Amino acid sequence: QVGDWTSTCKQDLLQRKKNAVLVDGVILNGPITDSKAGEKFVEEACKIIMEEIIQKADDVTEKVCEWRAPETLKKLLDLEMRDTGESHQKLLQLCQDVIQYSVKTNHPRFFNQLYAGIDYYSLVARFITEALNPSVYTYEVSPVFLLVEEAVIKKMIEFIGWEEGDGIFNPGGSVSNMYAMNLARYKFCPEIKEKGLSGLPRLVLFTSEECHYSMKKAASFLGIGTENVYFVKTDERGKMIPEELEKQVQRARKEGSAPFLVCATAGTTVLGAFDPLDKIADICEKYDLWLHVDASWGGSALISRKHCRLLHGIQRADSVAWNPHKMLLAGIQCCALLVKDNSGLLKKCYSAKAAYLFQQDKFYDVSYDTGDKSIQCSRRPDAFKFWLMWKALGTTGLEERVNRALALARYLVEEIKKREGFQLLLEPEYANVCFWYIPPSLRKMEDGPEFWQKLHQVAPVVKERMMKKGSMMLGYQPNQGKVNFFRQVVISPQVSREDMDFLLDEIELLAKDL
C-alpha cells in the first residue's frame, strides 16, 4: 500500500510539471502542501498527545517534571532550524521529547502556580479553535465566537452583580489591569486620546502593598510612571487598610496631584487576601475615583454561593479583572476585563475605526464587530473554552470545583496544625496555604536572627530536591519581611486528600537532613 501511494504521488508530481504554469520560476499548479501526509502527521501527533499527556494526567506515579539543567537540555533537544525540513518520524520524536521534558501542569501534584489541572471540555475547545484558527474582531470572520464571548461576558457580569455592562477577553490578567488603568484615565480626561500626556496634571493611582506587580508595569507602560503608584499599607492578613487609603488620597491632593484610580485586589497572589471592597468603594465615591478590582485570582469565588461573600461589595466596582483559567481551569489563557459602564466607553477609549476592517456599510449589524474595543487586532477566541466547559459542567459543577478546592485547603491547614515542624503564617481565607517547615535541627534554636536566617534557606533546598526528584512542584517566596515560606495553592479537581498528605510527607522527607 505504501508503494502504491508513493507511485501515485510521483505520477501526480509528473503531471503537475507537465502542465506547469510558471511565474518567476515558481510552479503555480495545485497546492504546495501534501495534505494527506499532513493529515497523517496530525493523526500520529494527536495519538502521542492522548497517550503521553491526557491519559497520564491523573497518574501520580508519573513525574511532574523530568528536570534537566538548561545546557543539558539544549544537548538533548535538537533545537537548530535547518534549510531542509525534517522527516515526520523525526518531528514526532521531537514532540515526544518536548512532552517528556516539559512540566506537567495537569499533574495532581503540580501546586506551583495559580493554575493547574486539566479540564477535558476546555481542552477540546482549544483543539477546535487551534484547528479553525479564528481571530475575533469582526462578525464576518468569527460569527460563532463573537456570540459566545457576548454570552459569557453577560453571564460573568450577572455574577458580579451588575444589571448591565461591557467587557473584553484579553491575553492575561496583567493586560486586563492595564486596560482598566487606561480606561479610568480616559474617563478622567478623555482628551488624552488625541492630545497625549503633555497637557495632563500629575496623575496618581492607589493600590495595596500586596497588589500584583502588573500595576507597576501598567503605570510604566502607560506613561503614568511607577513613582505615581501610591502603595497603601495592608494589615497582618494582607488586606488594604481603608483608613490608610484615604490618608494617601488626601496626601496626593495636598501635593497638587490628580488622583484618578484605586485598584483593590480580590485574592492576592501570595497570601490570597481579599481587600474590603465595600469600605474602599465608599472612599472612591467620596473622592470620585474609578474603582478597579483585580479579581484575576479570587473572582471565581463569585460562582460559589458559600464563598462569594469574600468579594462582598464588588458590585460597586467600575471594572473587574477575572481569570477563569485559574481556579475554574478554563485553560491558559482565559482572562476577562468587565466594565460596569454600558455607554460604549471601552470602544470610545480604544477605537481606531480602521476602514479596511470596521466598514459601516456591511450587510449585517456592525455592532457585532467588537474588535474596536480591543487594543489588539488579532485576538484569540478565549471565551469559547470557558463557554464549552460551563455548558458541560453547569454553574453547579463550577461551584463544586471552587468549594472542593477550598475544602481541600482547609483540610491541609488542619493537618499542618497537627504536625510537628510545620507552622502556618496565617489562617487562609482562600486556596493559598502559606507555611514554614522547620527541620528537626532548628526546632530547639532560640527565636532570633540566626534562626530565621537558617529557616530562610530551607525552602529553596527542598524546592531543588523535589524538582530533581520530580515528585511535586510547590512554590516558595519571602514576603513583607518574612523569610522564605512555602505557598501551596489548591486548584485541580484531580487533587485528593491523599495528595495533601503526600505533600507534607514529602517535605518532611526532603528536609530531614537539613
Side-chain angles (χ1 to χ4, degrees):
Q1 288 182 340
V2 174
D4 292 343
W5 180 76
T6 304
S7 176
T8 302
C9 286
K10 286 181 178 178
Q11 289 175 10
D12 289 345
L13 184 62
L14 288 170
Q15 188 65 37
R16 282 175 58 198
K17 286 185 176 180
K18 187 175 180 181
N19 302 320
V21 174
L22 293 174
V23 174
D24 295 335
V26 177
I27 299 175
L28 301 184
N29 298 58
I32 194 172
T33 55
D34 185 340
S35 58
K36 292 298 180 185
E39 289 167 15
K40 184 67 176 174
F41 177 75
V42 170
E43 183 182 337
E44 293 295 323
C46 285
K47 186 179 178 183
I48 293 171
I49 292 168
M50 192 70 198
E51 292 173 354
E52 297 300 322
I53 301 177
I54 298 171
Q55 290 177 354
K56 293 180 179 179
D58 59 353
D59 187 351
V60 294
T61 66
E62 290 287 318
K63 287 186 177 183
V64 179
C65 175
E66 189 71 58
W67 173 259
R68 293 291 186 277
E71 295 307 315
T72 304
L73 193 55
K74 285 179 185 178
K75 293 174 183 176
L76 287 169
L77 299 173
D78 181 6
L79 297 173
E80 184 182 350
M81 282 73 72
R82 300 179 177 86
D83 291 340
T84 55
E86 310 280 5
S87 70
H88 279 188
Q89 200 55 45
K90 175 72 182 294
L91 294 173
L92 291 171
Q93 183 57 52
L94 286 171
C95 292
Q96 290 268 19
D97 293 342
V98 166
I99 294 168
Q100 180 180 351
Y101 296 112
S102 292
V103 173
K104 312 303 186 295
T105 64
N106 48 26
H107 194 285
R109 292 171 183 170
F110 174 82
F111 308 123
N112 210 66
Q113 314 300 143
L114 300 183
Y115 68 91
I118 185 171
D119 177 84
Y120 302 102
Y121 305 104
S122 65
L123 182 62
V124 167
R126 279 183 276 173
F127 287 163
I128 291 170
T129 55
E130 290 298 327
L132 287 173
N133 197 33
S135 187
V136 186
Y137 34 59
T138 62
Y139 183 82
E140 64 187 286
V141 295
S142 273
V144 174
F145 299 122
L146 274 167
L147 295 181
V148 163
E149 184 174 62
E150 179 185 64
V152 170
I153 286 171
K154 183 179 178 182
K155 198 71 174 176
M156 293 174 83
I157 282 170
E158 284 180 24
F159 276 94
I160 290 172
W162 297 334
E163 292 184 4
E164 57 183 11
D166 199 357
I168 193 92
F169 273 76
N170 306 302
S174 294
V175 176
S176 293
N177 288 337
M178 185 187 75
Y179 263 88
M181 191 180 293
N182 194 48
L183 197 62
R185 183 174 64 175
Y186 175 77
K187 181 72 183 293
F188 183 79
C189 43
E191 65 274 12
I192 189 174
K193 184 173 178 180
E194 286 79 28
K195 296 182 179 179
L197 300 171
S198 57
L200 291 180
R202 181 190 172 208
L203 297 177
V204 169
L205 64 104
F206 309 87
T207 189
S208 88
E209 295 174 330
E210 293 284 331
C211 76
H212 192 258
Y213 67 86
S214 60
M215 297 310 295
K216 285 180 76 172
K217 285 197 169 190
S220 171
F221 184 83
L222 294 171
I224 291 168
T226 57
E227 288 184 0
N228 296 318
V229 180
Y230 283 31
F231 293 100
V232 181
K233 289 180 183 177
T234 55
D235 63 18
E236 69 282 353
R237 298 192 58 80
K239 298 170 178 286
M240 186 192 291
I241 302 171
E243 295 77 14
E244 293 295 328
L245 169 63
E246 187 160 21
K247 286 179 187 177
Q248 292 273 38
V249 174
Q250 290 171 347
R251 173 193 148 202
R253 284 189 160 187
K254 285 177 183 176
E255 293 171 348
S257 301
F260 75 103
L261 167 69
V262 174
C263 176
T265 310
T268 58
T269 305
V270 177
L271 300 179
F274 288 74
D275 288 340
L277 302 180
D278 240 349
K279 291 181 179 180
I280 293 170
D282 288 340
I283 294 168
C284 289
E285 285 184 8
K286 182 177 178 180
Y287 294 97
D288 194 22
L289 303 173
W290 181 286
L291 174 56
H292 172 64
V293 178
D294 179 3
S296 297
W297 172 218
S300 295
L302 289 168
I303 298 287
S304 167
R305 286 164 290 185
K306 182 177 182 180
H307 298 291
C308 62
R309 55 178 172 74
L310 291 168
L311 298 105
H312 178 71
I314 195 169
Q315 75 281 358
R316 299 177 66 187
D318 294 290
S319 59
V320 174
W322 177 0
N323 291 4
H325 77 229
K326 290 185 163 75
M327 176 68 78
L328 297 179
L329 279 79
I332 290 177
Q333 57 211 16
C334 189
C335 314
L337 173 72
L338 305 159
V339 183
K340 194 180 214 173
D341 178 276
N342 198 33
S343 68
L345 188 66
L346 261 175
K347 191 169 184 179
K348 291 172 190 172
C349 180
Y350 293 111
S351 171
K353 300 179 181 177
Y356 68 91
L357 198 56
F358 304 114
Q359 305 95 327
Q360 296 304 295
D361 54 357
K362 291 181 179 179
F363 62 95
Y364 58 85
D365 182 354
V366 294
S367 69
Y368 287 98
D369 290 355
T370 60
D372 232 5
K373 294 193 298 188
S374 170
I375 59 171
Q376 299 168 255
C377 182
S378 301
R379 194 164 62 88
R380 297 168 62 89
D382 293 323
F384 182 64
K385 295 174 285 191
F386 192 23
W387 177 81
L388 191 63
M389 182 179 73
W390 204 331
K391 292 285 282 185
L393 300 177
T395 303
T396 54
L398 297 179
E399 181 182 31
E400 182 185 13
R401 201 164 268 189
V402 175
N403 290 346
R404 189 171 188 274
L406 295 184
L408 278 169
R410 175 47 50 192
Y411 171 83
L412 180 62
V413 166
E414 296 308 315
E415 289 302 304
I416 285 172
K417 291 177 181 177
K418 294 176 188 175
R419 295 204 187 199
E420 186 180 4
F422 287 90
Q423 182 179 328
L424 283 171
L425 262 75
L426 75 169
E427 287 280 343
E429 59 180 346
Y430 201 45
N432 308 46
V433 182
C434 300
F435 63 94
W436 287 289
Y437 177 68
I438 304 166
S441 64
L442 301 183
R443 289 175 196 169
K444 294 181 179 179
M445 280 188 70
E446 289 186 15
D447 187 343
E450 186 181 357
F451 168 79
W452 291 107
Q453 184 182 10
K454 287 183 179 293
L455 185 59
H456 186 63
Q457 298 166 8
V458 171
V461 174
V462 173
K463 178 64 176 276
E464 178 183 355
R465 291 176 177 181
M466 74 173 72
M467 289 288 290
K468 290 180 176 177
K469 184 178 178 182
S471 57
M472 64 180 184
M473 278 185 70
L474 178 65
Y476 75 87
Q477 65 281 302
N479 182 258
Q480 299 290 354
K482 294 181 174 67
V483 302
N484 282 328
F485 54 87
F486 293 107
R487 181 197 63 168
Q488 154 71 348
V489 181
V490 184
I491 302 176
S492 171
Q494 277 81 25
V495 172
S496 66
R497 176 190 63 78
E498 291 82 1
D499 295 310
M500 299 295 96
D501 295 335
F502 175 84
L503 179 141
L504 301 180
D505 292 340
E506 186 73 353
I507 290 174
E508 286 184 308
L509 177 66
L510 296 173
K512 65 181 180 181
D513 63 334
L514 296 180

